[in-house]
Amino acid sequence: MADKIGIIGFGEAGQAVAGGFTEEGNSVAAYDLQYNKYLERAEELQVNLFDNKDEFLKNVNILFSLVPCSVSLAVAEEFIPLLDSRKIFIELSASFPDDMEKASQIADNNGIDFIDGAIMGSVINFKHKVPIFLSGKKSVEISKDLKKLGMNIEVIGDKAGQASASKLCRSIYTKGTEALLVELLKVTEHFDITDTVLNSIDKTWYLNGFRAEAERLFKSTEKHIERKHAEVVNVVKMIKDIGVEAYMSQAAETVLNQKKDNLTK
């Protein structure tokens, strides 16, 4: 069977999405420059992995880009001109809204359908069925095809950049909360009152229990600190780009950057 689904970037997120598709009998191809690193994992997931762009693109109709947000525009600039009009390029890297607008313009110039997408949950847990926001000129039409693949899609607008902006706006809250927890524990550990403070908050915050949420967030922060820091950097840039002072988001970036440095020492 010819590959129909293509994944650009076979890191953690790319593997999760690809694995979800293959579990349901879909044929999936993936492209990654670190071919040798991921070949064994690709075989386990029954994914056809390539390190040659031309071979990868031959039998792919729908492409999902799951690369680091710092290179998402460069990847779009590299791949979109290579596509024919039958192919669809869907960006899922939580990039800058401005970058998504630029990528959309490149796609328009090449006669390619481009969709801005934002993953709004845990791709590790939900795989290809993770909630995803879409925006772009043909997002409503294309969402119908994606839903047939079992994807959990919500179209939020017809402009590229809206989906990415939605994810970054939500991150103003989520990443700020993570940074506040890092700071809180520094202080409570100094006074040896961590259990007292967390138990006190536990009685008044979160229906499922603040302590459980705090532990989940800290495990997630330590495991994914590089990605979380990169995302909040994007948040700060987006807020400043629209002329708003990014006090809390800038503070979150500073704290998470310090946490990242401490973890990598």
Side-chain angles (χ1 to χ4, degrees), residues 38-233:
Y38 294 127
L39 182 57
E40 183 176 350
R41 181 58 176 155
E43 292 174 348
E44 292 173 358
L45 295 173
Q46 297 183 314
V47 172
N48 296 319
L49 184 64
F50 294 87
D51 59 357
N52 180 289
K53 290 192 292 291
D54 293 333
E55 291 298 318
F56 165 65
L57 293 173
K58 278 183 180 178
N59 297 306
V60 171
N61 293 333
I62 301 175
L63 288 94
F64 297 95
S65 178
L66 286 153
V67 299
C69 58
S70 59
V71 299
S72 60
L73 178 58
V75 168
E77 291 172 333
E78 179 182 358
F79 273 85
I80 288 174
L82 303 177
L83 307 181
D84 60 54
S85 59
R86 297 170 298 173
K87 302 185 190 300
I88 301 167
F89 191 98
I90 302 172
E91 176 58 64
L92 295 176
S93 299
S95 188
F96 298 127
D98 283 353
D99 284 354
M100 294 300 91
E101 292 178 16
K102 292 174 183 176
S104 181
Q105 186 59 57
I106 294 169
D108 285 347
N109 294 341
N110 285 272
I112 303 299
D113 292 330
F114 175 88
I115 299 296
D116 171 28
I119 294 172
M120 305 302 289
S122 172
V123 71
I124 305 304
N125 292 332
F126 296 105
K127 302 180 181 179
H128 70 302
K129 296 184 178 181
V130 65
I132 294 175
F133 285 172
L134 292 188
S135 67
K137 293 179 181 178
K138 291 190 176 180
S139 54
V140 172
E141 177 183 342
I142 291 170
S143 70
K144 296 176 183 178
D145 293 328
L146 300 182
K147 288 177 180 178
K148 290 178 182 178
L149 293 171
M151 301 186 76
N152 183 359
I153 300 296
E154 180 179 350
V155 176
I156 66 163
D158 59 2
K159 298 178 182 178
Q162 288 177 310
S164 292
S166 295
K167 182 176 179 68
L168 294 181
C169 284
R170 193 179 74 159
S171 292
I172 295 171
Y173 170 77
T174 58
K175 301 307 180 288
T177 299
E178 291 168 7
L180 286 172
L181 285 170
V182 170
E183 184 172 304
L184 170 65
L185 288 196
K186 283 184 179 180
V187 179
T188 59
E189 288 171 1
H190 174 80
F191 289 104
D192 195 22
I193 55 171
T194 298
D195 285 342
T196 300
V197 172
L198 292 183
N199 288 335
S200 175
I201 297 173
D202 192 29
K203 295 176 182 178
T204 55
W205 284 64
Y206 297 100
L207 294 176
N208 293 325
F210 175 81
R211 185 63 180 263
E213 183 70 4
E215 291 176 355
R216 183 192 69 79
L217 285 173
F218 266 98
K219 289 179 181 178
S220 176
T221 299
E222 292 197 352
K223 184 177 181 181
H224 304 294
I225 189 64
E226 294 279 353
R227 174 176 60 78
K228 289 177 181 289
H229 175 254
E231 187 171 328
V232 80
V233 167

